[in-house]
Amino acid sequence: MMKLWKDFYDLVMPDVPGCTFAAIDSALRQSAVVFCEQSLAWRIELSPISVVAGIAEYALTPPEDAVVHAITLAALNGEEIEAYKGETDISARNRYNRTSPQYISGGPGSIILAPKPTATGALTMIVALKPSPASAGIDDVQFNEYREAIVHGALLRLMLSPKKPYTNAQLAAYHQQQFAIKTAAAGVRVAKNYARTPLRTSIMARR
């Protein structure tokens, strides 16, 4: 289920009189994106991907109005593989490990296994999501848990708008501080909750 940006209005509009709905929607979307990127709080387990021998790249299928920001946990045939963020060149990555499968996120729409798999298998993943650039809202669980942080981020942006009835640099600084505090707290909370979360295919200890 999804909550639309208008579901935030009663928390935002009293502080920004005269602000348009379009501007509020944009500020909420931007705030939610940054919140999700920094906290990695919006996580789901994707349906298993059937891996084919000799095929390295596979499409990701996140929920509607969301994109994959990061892969936080993955297992191929029950054995954990590493989310490698610092290298996008497969040949370079293979120099470090030529036998154990690794994956590299090639973008929000696909992942690349390196080296190429030599057998069929099942790839299971827990991913961190964020709203898409055109999203109409956010998952209702995230709304219920983290709406205060998202509202602070939206008010920060709106109050920094020049020459508006609600322009207020001092209050913007307050909302910036609260957004940072609540985002960091959400990140710590989620990291603890997912520290020992098993995938549907149980993860074996890395060799």
Side-chain angles (χ1 to χ4, degrees):
M1 299 292 292
M2 173 180 287
K3 291 291 187 180
L4 301 178
W5 300 127
K6 69 179 182 180
D7 292 313
F8 288 85
Y9 286 176
D10 62 339
L11 300 173
V12 177
M13 293 181 65
D15 294 309
V16 288
C19 188
T20 66
F21 294 147
I24 293 175
D25 287 355
S26 178
L28 285 166
R29 185 182 299 109
Q30 293 177 58
S31 175
V33 168
V34 174
F35 170 80
C36 291
E37 288 177 344
Q38 294 183 358
S39 69
L40 303 182
W42 187 6
R43 301 192 190 190
I44 66 167
E45 184 175 348
L46 297 178
S47 298
I49 294 175
S50 295
V51 172
V52 179
I55 304 297
E57 187 169 5
Y58 297 87
L60 295 173
T61 54
E64 185 179 1
D65 272 356
V67 295
V68 173
H69 174 63
I71 299 173
T72 61
L73 192 63
L76 181 60
N77 293 335
E79 185 171 357
E80 185 177 355
I81 55 177
E82 181 186 0
Y84 192 75
K85 301 179 179 66
E87 180 65 73
T88 57
D89 177 50
I90 296 176
S91 62
R93 180 57 181 159
N94 287 345
R95 290 200 299 267
Y96 304 122
N97 191 326
R98 294 181 178 275
T99 58
S100 179
Q102 305 290 315
Y103 69 82
I104 302 171
S105 179
S110 65
I111 57 94
I112 299 174
L113 289 169
K116 288 182 180 180
T118 58
T120 59
L123 177 65
T124 48
M125 291 178 289
I126 292 176
V127 300
L129 302 175
K130 63 182 178 181
S132 69
S135 63
I138 194 168
D139 176 78
D140 59 351
V141 173
Q142 310 311 310
F143 174 85
N144 292 333
E145 293 289 336
Y146 305 119
R147 61 182 178 272
E148 289 187 12
I150 295 171
V151 166
H152 280 300
L155 290 174
L156 157 65
R157 285 163 173 74
L158 293 170
M159 289 180 177
L160 289 178
S161 302
K163 300 180 180 179
K164 300 292 184 181
Y166 44 83
T167 300
N168 190 321
Q170 184 174 358
L171 274 178
Y174 164 75
H175 288 297
Q176 181 178 33
Q177 180 186 52
Q178 291 302 307
F179 177 78
I181 290 171
K182 293 182 182 299
T183 300
V188 171
R189 174 186 173 187
V190 171
K192 289 181 179 178
N193 288 343
Y194 275 89
R196 297 186 180 277
T197 299
L199 290 156
R200 280 192 290 265
T201 302
S202 60
I203 293 179
M204 298 168 59
R206 185 178 301 162
R207 296 176 181 175

